Structures are given as C-alpha cells and as structure tokens.
Amino acid sequence: MVMAIREVDWQHWHGEMPATLMFVVQEGKVLLIEKLRGIGKGKVNGPGGKIDPGETPEQCVVRECQEELHITPLDPVKMGELCFAMSDIPDIHCHVFMATRYEGVPTATEEAIPLWTDLDQIPYDRMWEDDRCWLAGMLAGRKFFGRFIFEGETMLWHELDWQAH
Ligand SMILES: Nc1[nH]c(=O)nc2c1ncn2[C@H]1C[C@H](O)[C@@H](COP(=O)(O)OP(=O)(O)OP(=O)(O)O)O1
C-alpha cells in the first residue's frame, strides 16, 4: 500500500517548537548521547533540546549540553537547520551546531548517557531516520537546510539543500 504524503505549505510553515542539537567532534570521534527522556527517548542523537523563551539557539545548545552531559561546548558553529513537520507532536525547527572544544567531563545524567563514537561507526539504526540524510555531510564540514515530513517516527519525505562553497 502506498501512503499518501500530506501536503505541507512550507512557504508559511512555522515550527511551533524551536530546538537545538550539538555535535562535539574531537580526534576522529563525535560525542553522541543515548537520550533517556523527552522527544526521541531511547534513540541516539546529539545533546540538545527545546529553546526556552528569550533564549537564542546558541544559548540553548550550551545550556542543554550543561544539563544533559555537564559539559560546556566552546565556540559553537551553526551548521544547519532542520524543519520537521510532525504528525502527532508539534512541528520542530531545529538549529544544529558543531564544536571541537568543550569544558568539563562528559557525564551520564538522568537525561543522557554520553557515547563517544568513531566517525565511521555512527549507529544510524538507533537514530532518527533523517540523520542518514545530513549527519555525515555535516560532520564532513558541509552546511545545510533540510525539510522533512514525518508520520509518527517514519520519515515520509525530505528535501535537503547543501550550502554552496
Ligand atoms: N527527526 C529528528 N531528528 C533529529 O536528529 N533530532 C530530532 C528530531 N526530532 C527531534 N529531534 C531532537 C531535537 C531536540 O534536541 C530534541 C527535542 O527536544 P527534547 O524533547 O529533548 O527537549 P528538552 O530536553 O527541552 O525536553 P524535556 O526533557 O521535556 O525538558 O529532539
């Protein structure tokens, strides 16, 4: 059976839930987490979360790394944006960052278990489906803008633009 993909008016789309993700990369490894609560609980992802009112994306991603892993990423670099039209939760507009330096020691908390992961061993089968579209390109240094339509946790459609050099 072919599932009809619902239409999304991307021109006027507005993600009700602004959010962030951080990928710290050092010595051929990326710092992922097993997420213990919130949206995507049980999945592997970067640390991150919802942007609080009055907070910038950069402030949010630093705070979330402090809360989830007890680290402070230094000099976060904005790498891309992800627009998720969801079916059963509010739409998410996610700002994605990378960093190569941080302060503190990655520590397991009630929210996350840190997982230093070889760049060629990313566990895509434990991650959100869209990560297969953009994560490797981003880790190679490319900036991006992506749009995705989800039905539950299934990705039905996507469109990804990579920034020209
Ligand atoms: N399709 C998707 N692919 C992806 O890679 N990350 C996604 C995603 N959909 C959501 N996320 C991430 C973005 C953000 O880091 C997180 C959503 O925020 P959370 O629920 O973790 O927020 P909070 O940590 O603020 O929540 P609370 O536990 O309620 O405080 O999930």
Side-chain angles (χ1 to χ4, degrees), residues 51-62:
I51 300 180
D52 285 343
E55 208 175 34
T56 65
E58 189 173 319
Q59 288 166 343
C60 167
V61 86
V62 170

Side-chain angles (χ1 to χ4, degrees), residues 2-121:
V2 179
M3 204 188 293
I5 299 175
R6 65 186 185 281
E7 290 287 319
V8 174
D9 177 5
W10 289 111
Q11 283 289 346
H12 300 104
W13 183 87
H14 158 80
E16 295 112 293
M17 186 193 296
T20 60
L21 284 171
M22 167 58 76
F23 295 86
V24 172
V25 175
Q26 264 189 7
E27 295 169 14
K29 291 181 191 279
V30 57
L31 180 56
L32 301 177
I33 60 166
E34 182 178 337
K35 206 164 155 58
L36 300 181
R37 70 178 198 212
I39 297 163
K41 176 179 168 182
K43 292 189 193 301
V44 171
N45 205 340
K50 299 182 196 83
I51 300 180
D52 285 343
E55 208 175 34
T56 65
E58 189 173 319
Q59 288 166 343
C60 167
V61 86
V62 170
R63 174 183 56 74
E64 289 284 352
C65 288
Q66 291 169 339
E67 289 175 7
E68 294 185 349
L69 290 179
H70 295 176
I71 63 163
T72 301
L74 303 175
D75 305 322
V77 176
K78 173 89 175 272
M79 297 300 291
E81 291 185 27
L82 301 166
C83 303
F84 298 116
M86 307 299 288
S87 62
D88 48 359
I89 58 171
D91 290 358
I92 301 170
H93 184 176
C94 187
H95 303 259
V96 187
F97 293 84
M98 283 178 68
T100 54
R101 297 188 311 129
Y102 62 92
E103 286 173 346
V105 178
T107 302
T109 65
E110 285 180 1
E111 301 192 40
I113 298 169
L115 302 170
W116 278 113
T117 307
D118 287 342
L119 289 173
D120 59 0
Q121 304 264 312

